Amino acid sequence: MIEEAAKIIAHSRFLIAFTGAGVSAESGIPTFRGRGGLWENYRIEEVATPEAFRRDPNLVWAFYKMRMKIMKDAKPNNAHLVLAELEKMGILRAVITQNIDNLHKEAGNQHIVELHGNIHRVKCTRCDYMENLLESGKLEDFLKEKNLPKCPECASLLRPDVVWFGEPLPQEALQKAFKLAEGADVCLVIGTSAQVFPAAYVPYIVKDNGGSVIEVNTKESGITPIVDVFLRGKAGEVMQSLLVKVKRCLENKKC
């Protein structure tokens, strides 16, 4: 099956990747669902909704600072690095991700659509102020601060620039993702349960437009019934093997 997947990718004219939490699990970032997932220890309605933030911003910020600390120390794994290499090779056109950990960018991908935001960005609850604390070099000081973060422009409360439950996805990112999916002939789906919509429509759009869908996952997901090739295993290991096969296929010219 991995050789079949490599053949599809090698012959693709417009490949996109759609990634979820399973891609980053090997970098030490907890997934949401399943044993050891984030929602095993926290209730969604207490830390990841607009209502929770209005009710207890201190609790929500404590949760997100905890996540920031985990993610700032995480490093891209082989799955991220392979996707970056596929882009450099001119094969992969874009990564559409549900992850907020910034690891695709750190790995070297340039064309990334972040559907659920970025853990390192903050935005004002009142004005248009927004800042990526990792890029501005302020993340360490931000994490040490005990008081609730305030906007430097209007003094209103800052919040994480992530999509909470009950909030719509950013329309610009969503429309860009859908447009990429409409133009893609192959979608590589990696490490997602494919249960969170509208993000999970991406591979369906590719399929509906006559494209092929390849899934890399440790177990079957919501998208598995429509995929052309299912590759079972950890994202980093499977993607590394897949890259070797793709390169061999391109060199061979006969696959």
Side-chain angles (χ1 to χ4, degrees):
M1 294 302 287
I2 200 165
E3 292 192 358
E4 179 62 24
K7 182 178 179 180
I8 293 171
I9 291 171
H11 289 279
S12 66
R13 57 168 180 77
F14 199 104
L15 170 71
I16 63 171
F18 178 61
T19 68
V23 168
S24 297
E26 291 164 69
S27 293
I29 295 176
T31 57
F32 287 97
R33 296 168 180 82
R35 189 169 184 176
L38 283 170
W39 303 139
E40 192 173 65
N41 298 315
Y42 294 91
R43 296 177 64 195
I44 294 170
E45 59 269 26
E46 291 179 352
V47 292
T49 66
E51 294 77 16
F53 190 67
R54 287 193 292 269
R55 184 171 58 248
D56 194 346
N58 282 293
L59 176 63
V60 174
W61 263 120
F63 174 72
Y64 276 92
K65 282 190 175 184
M66 176 271 291
R67 295 186 69 193
M68 283 177 161
K69 289 176 183 176
I70 292 172
M71 293 184 189
K72 79 177 178 65
D73 294 327
K75 302 297 179 187
N77 61 57
N78 285 332
H80 299 104
L81 298 173
V82 168
L83 288 174
E85 186 163 353
L86 286 172
E87 184 180 299
K88 289 176 184 176
M89 292 167 64
I91 298 174
L92 180 65
R93 302 301 184 91
V95 174
I96 301 167
T97 188
Q98 300 167 93
N99 298 336
I100 61 174
D101 51 41
N102 205 58
L103 290 180
H104 285 301
K105 187 172 182 179
E106 290 183 33
N109 280 104
Q110 300 295 314
H111 304 286
I112 307 166
V113 180
E114 294 175 323
L115 291 177
H116 292 160
N118 189 304
I119 191 72
H120 302 304
R121 280 198 310 264
V122 293
K123 64 179 182 181
C124 183
T125 54
R126 186 174 184 180
C127 73
D128 294 329
Y129 174 80
M130 184 180 294
E131 182 178 4
N132 187 309
L133 298 170
L134 186 65
E135 293 178 355
S136 65
K138 299 178 183 177
L139 184 58
E140 292 292 345
D141 289 339
F142 181 85
L143 292 173
K144 293 175 185 176
E145 178 59 53
K146 301 297 183 183
N147 297 320
L148 284 171
K150 299 294 180 67
C151 175
E153 295 184 2
C154 74
S156 298
L157 192 59
L158 292 176
R159 58 161 283 180
D161 186 20
V162 298
V163 178
W164 284 327
F165 288 89
E167 291 185 322
L169 298 188
Q171 281 303 301
E172 185 178 348
L174 186 61
Q175 292 306 314
K176 187 174 182 180
F178 285 173
K179 187 174 182 179
L180 286 165
E182 288 169 1
D185 64 336
V186 182
C187 182
L188 186 56
V189 182
I190 314 170
T192 175
S193 64
Q195 294 177 347
V196 180
F197 291 88
Y201 282 125
V202 168
Y204 288 97
I205 293 172
V206 176
K207 190 72 174 181
D208 288 346
N209 282 280
S212 300
V213 179
I214 300 166
E215 181 180 14
V216 177
N217 221 330
T218 55
K219 60 183 179 180
E220 294 184 354
S221 71
I223 202 71
T224 307
I226 72 155
V227 305
D228 297 275
V229 181
F230 178 78
L231 302 176
R232 188 184 300 272
K234 292 182 178 179
E237 295 173 2
V238 174
M239 289 301 296
Q240 198 167 31
S241 297
L242 186 57
L243 178 63
V244 172
K245 298 287 187 181
V246 169
K247 287 183 175 179
R248 191 172 299 163
C249 190
L250 290 170
E251 291 168 1
N252 191 358
K253 308 261 186 207
K254 292 181 180 179
C255 71

